[in-house]
Amino acid sequence: MRRWSQLFAATVFSASLAFGPAIAQPRDTLVVGLQQEPTSLDPTADATASIDTIMSGNVFETLTTSTERGEVKPLLAKSWDVTPDGKAYTFHLNEGVKFTDGEALDSSVVKFAFDRAMAPDSVNPSKGIFSAISAIETPDPLTVVIRLKEPDAYFLNSMTMGDAAIVHPKTAAGNKTNPVGTGVYKLKQWSKGDRVVLERNPAHRDAARAALREVTFRVMPDPTAATAALMSGDVDAFPTIPAPETVEQFRKDPRFKVVVGTTEGEVILALNNGKKPFNDLRVRQAISYALNRQDIIDGAQAGLATPIGSHFPPHNPAYVDLTGRYPHDVAKAKALLKEAGYANGLEVSLQAIPFPYARRSAEIIAQQLGEAGINVKLINVEFPFWLAEVYKKKNYDMTIIAHTAPRDLGNYANGPEYFYGYDSPKFREMFADFRRTVDPAEQKKKLGDLQRFIADEAVHGFLFQLPQVGVYKADLKGYWTNAPELLMPLIDIAWVK
Amino acid sequence: MSDWLARAVRHRSFMIGGILTFVLLALAFVSLFWTPNNPYRLNIRMRLKPPSLDYLLGTDAFGRDVVSQLMVGAQNSIVVGVIAVAIGLSLGVSLGLIGAARRGWLEELIMRFSDFTLAFPAVLSAILLTAIFGPGSLNSIVAIGIYNIPVFARLSRAAGNSIWARDFVTASRACGKGAFRITIEHVLPNIVPIIVVQATIQFAIAILAEAALSYLGLGTQPPTPSWGRMLNEAQTHVFTTPSLAIYPGLAIAFSVLGLNLLGDGLRDLIDPKLARQR
Amino acid sequence: MSLFLAKRFATLIGTLLFTSIVIFIVLEILPGDPALLILGIDAQPGQLEVLRQQLGLNDPAWTRYWHWVGGLLTGDFGISYAYKVPVWELIGERLQLTIPLAFISMALTAFLALVLGVYAAANHNKTGDVAIMATSQVGISIPSFWFAILLILLFAVHLGWVSAGGFPGWGAGLVPALASLILPAISLAIVQAAILARITRSSVLEVMREDFVRTARAKGVSKRAVLWGHVLRNAMIPVITVMGVQFGNLIAGTIVIEQVFTLPGLGRLMFQAINQRDLELIKNVVMLLAVFVVTINFIVDMLYVVIDPRLKVHDV
């Protein structure tokens, strides 16, 4: 039936060409605005998030991919089996898949791609997701068996990430500028710093499902330029608007639709647990009590964000609402500080990186902690400086950072060397136990326990979940509201006729 | 003297510039002791309020009073302008005059130093400075000040050279006057007008450059109110609350305008030759 | 004359050598590890070392300096850390925007400034002069990026005449490409033109007060002939000095203006390169800007000699 309707559409299309512009052509191009510039086009070699948004799932494909709710669904693998012990995954590949240069995809290519990502000289930014793999077997061209050292609750989700994209041995090295993938879109043009243009790959097995012929991603880091570009119609969609306060006017404008979803980005007031005074639980709790999350969200995010009480995204089915664990209570904060021996107040510094969420939250938090008797010295730093001094050398008191990677509760199991300086053998044990769990219901329960544990410990000030505030033309459909993965599947996006 | 005063009062741009500059100084001075509201106090519940009796120009995205911030921001602009021009003027004019008087390798060295410094525009050197030493108002002032040195050096050398080529200087040299004395007695007085003009322009540029740096997030850091930073913070609200982006811009424009007019007026009043022609 | 030229050229080379050393040292002490920045905060411990090795960050400083300067002389600018493509390719792409933008705004600046400045001087204290001076005062006083935002609001959002930002590329045709450069060029030129017009005017007035002008007038030469024949040639010295300075201002201005209009030019490339600690890119872009400015100043010095013959005598 679909084939017939397509043929019909093709006839109408050629007729419209023949008879001139009397019949309107269906809209099949889209211009998407992006805040962050892609520094490369290879998601397996660079941590820049916009590379994944543009390329992953569109130009490059992974074995599995994600739904908008974070569930795993087939992509290059049409199905898979898991052994009951959770230590071996058998993926059954789609037949006849070809790269855009004509090379065929088979199990040996999958093995090559993973071996490349795991190799000692690999610079894959998420190398850790492959660490559980012990062996990759290719019993036949369409079957890949991946054996794990021990069960990994995150494994199938991890395989949806752009870092696990399947690349071909012949073209892997050139993917940074000349990407060759198996996706339903292929690169048409890349003007660095300005735009990436993708066009539909007619040879793809699902090409008929992709309504858009050409998609242009334009880089617009400046919120004013972004807003102006939307207003003037230069851009049709902005999945993550650079400044949430600019959406107010789009809400009133019938030409646009504003969608507010959540991302995997937990914004935390990170405390250096490894040093005084933050190695004292009472001080950390005092800070948690001193924070007024709603004011922070109103002031820093124009009210558009979901408060969090632990390190976990609210859209996840395993989420537990812990925002009531330490309600805003200045008196209690002061009492705890006094108990910890800081009755006369406390002097600490707060380093803020140039992202608006961080700089704005920092100003508000400085005042809120000040009301509880914690005198905060605000230091604005550039991101490279932050990476070197705060992240690498742990040379800081407090800082604000969004942890945008999915499934990052494991950060708290990283030990005292990690920049949290947080060291809890109990949590490490609980987390390892969760990673070995195969049963989904058990997984969910254990995730809840993990969330409660770090909330009780008040490891950091947990602030809010970074929202995905998007502005789209009102007659556009099929896009994601939430962002459980760094993906923007273009195949489902279409103009309403 | 009373003649000079009478001319000053009749001089239109001198008077307008003087009044605007006086307002700038007065606002900065008053803000040392009193502002309508606390400019540092965040009040999230009062964010983005329209003008009212409590908040004459409304509040910003953090609920801070715009008027109070503008007043305290005036202090910042004055400090930046004065220091940056003082650095550039004192060092630049000295170097330029030495170059014009000595010529030869010394002049060459000074001019090469100028080329070298000019090769790094203020914004670029400020970006590099702040990348190394961290962002901050002192680093941006120093960057702007350093950038002013070659501007004054080149200008006073070029102007000085044309004075040195004049007949009356040749005559003085024939009389046996030394280079230092000629510089002080003949060269410097003759290039003062063009330096005054340039100094007012550099003052304007210093305020504007600081605004640009703060706009890029490299200049004055929170919580210190600065007009450039206010523009930065207001920019994302420009479509919904454009007034937030308009007041600091106007404050900058009026201050710079006032200083420029004042400088122009001063030049006319200092230079009797021009005044006689008027 | 040729001796002067040779000496001047030797110092040009010396300046550039010195510049290269300063740039290299500054970047050496710049905090931040490019490898860490590329890999992000989820990197595994061993990976950093691998990437540092691949980028050649572990070589001693002097090896890297000679490698860089040697490369510059043979036309090899290295590979950008962040973009993984040859630096020259990136710079070449960005120059296609920044050079036309700089020339359009410089031409706009010079045209506006000379016409208005000379006109104002010739009509000293008349209505035209007062109006031009008042307008130029306002022009000097407006922050260019603020003016740019106002222009975007008016012409792109309210009137919809031009695009709010971005650059379609010269491949999209001359008209759309130029159209996207109009507002940025105006934003850049307005302040510089206002400054230059004032310099032109005061310089022309200065020269008109000189004795030889009075003599010429007394001899019966017409005012117009004196203005174009005698005054302008002598008045050009400070004007050209300032234009040399303004070229640097203009380049600096592109860093901010290219941010506001999101133009993929050299200024924005540099800002991004610094934020990404792309050392290969920073040192080459900064060096290139230095070459531009030093060369322009060299040309300005040459022009002095042509315009003011007295300087020649002094030098030889």
Side-chain angles (χ1 to χ4, degrees), chain B residues 109-178:
Chain B
L109 192 72
I110 291 168
M111 286 308 107
R112 271 352 98 211
F113 165 76
S114 298
D115 282 353
F116 175 71
T117 316
L118 272 179
F120 296 94
V123 171
L124 177 53
S125 53
I127 291 173
L128 286 176
L129 267 179
T130 52
I132 297 167
F133 301 108
S137 92
L138 186 67
N139 292 338
S140 57
I141 293 174
V142 170
I144 300 165
I146 291 174
Y147 178 69
N148 277 338
I149 299 173
V151 172
F152 284 105
R154 289 185 72 88
L155 187 75
S156 48
R157 183 204 66 139
N161 274 346
S162 53
I163 305 285
W164 275 92
R166 295 247 193 106
D167 294 339
F168 68 87
V169 174
T170 317
S172 302
R173 286 169 87 174
C175 292
K177 280 191 191 171

Side-chain angles (χ1 to χ4, degrees), chain C residues 55-302:
Chain C
L55 296 175
L57 290 170
N58 289 340
D59 295 340
W62 63 272
T63 311
R64 282 178 289 126
Y65 177 74
W66 285 121
H67 189 250
W68 175 45
V69 174
L72 281 181
L73 294 176
T74 55
D76 173 14
F77 287 60
I79 308 283
S80 152
Y81 293 160
Y83 291 96
K84 286 100 185 169
V85 294
V87 166
W88 179 244
E89 202 179 287
L90 279 173
I91 293 179
E93 259 175 31
R94 302 304 180 97
L95 282 179
Q96 292 175 15
L97 187 141
T98 301
I99 288 196
L101 178 60
F103 270 97
I104 295 171
S105 33
M106 198 70 225
L108 208 61
T109 302
F111 175 76
L112 285 174
L114 290 183
V115 168
L116 296 177
V118 173
Y119 178 84
N123 297 282
H124 187 43
N125 279 348
K126 293 190 188 134
T127 321
D129 178 28
V130 173
I132 287 169
M133 283 304 98
T135 314
S136 75
Q137 285 288 13
V138 175
I140 292 174
S141 312
I142 293 177
S144 60
F145 60 92
W146 186 58
F147 189 59
I149 295 168
L150 297 183
L151 285 180
I152 289 179
L153 267 174
L154 180 61
F155 290 105
V157 179
H158 287 293
L159 298 173
W161 289 356
V162 285
S163 156
F167 181 62
W170 295 104
L174 196 63
V175 175
L178 281 178
S180 68
L181 294 183
I182 291 174
L183 292 190
I186 293 175
S187 318
L188 277 170
I190 223 79
V191 175
Q192 305 299 340
I195 293 171
L196 196 61
R198 300 183 71 77
I199 299 281
T200 307
R201 173 183 175 271
S202 63
S203 176
V204 168
L205 285 179
E206 197 89 2
V207 176
M208 284 197 335
R209 272 185 269 129
E210 303 251 2
D211 293 337
F212 73 92
V213 175
R214 286 188 202 163
T215 316
R217 287 285 283 144
K219 276 184 187 164
V221 183
S222 78
K223 193 178 175 187
R224 184 176 293 260
V226 170
L227 185 66
W228 294 106
H230 299 76
V231 175
L232 263 190
R233 188 187 169 96
N234 287 287
M236 277 303 107
I237 295 169
V239 172
I240 288 173
T241 312
V242 172
M243 274 173 80
V245 170
Q246 284 190 316
F247 186 79
N249 282 345
L250 234 140
I251 295 286
T254 60
I255 301 177
V256 186
I257 292 298
E258 285 176 2
Q259 290 286 334
V260 179
F261 288 97
T262 54
L263 294 173
L266 205 60
R268 192 150 155 251
L269 180 71
M270 188 172 51
F271 200 70
Q272 288 166 341
I274 289 175
N275 280 337
Q276 292 162 342
R277 283 302 176 277
D278 192 342
L279 302 185
E280 285 293 309
L281 197 49
I282 301 173
K283 62 189 180 195
N284 288 303
V285 176
V286 176
M287 192 66 208
L288 187 73
L289 290 175
V291 171
F292 273 169
V293 178
V294 173
T295 311
I296 286 282
N297 286 334
F298 177 69
I299 295 169
V300 167
D301 274 12
M302 294 294 105

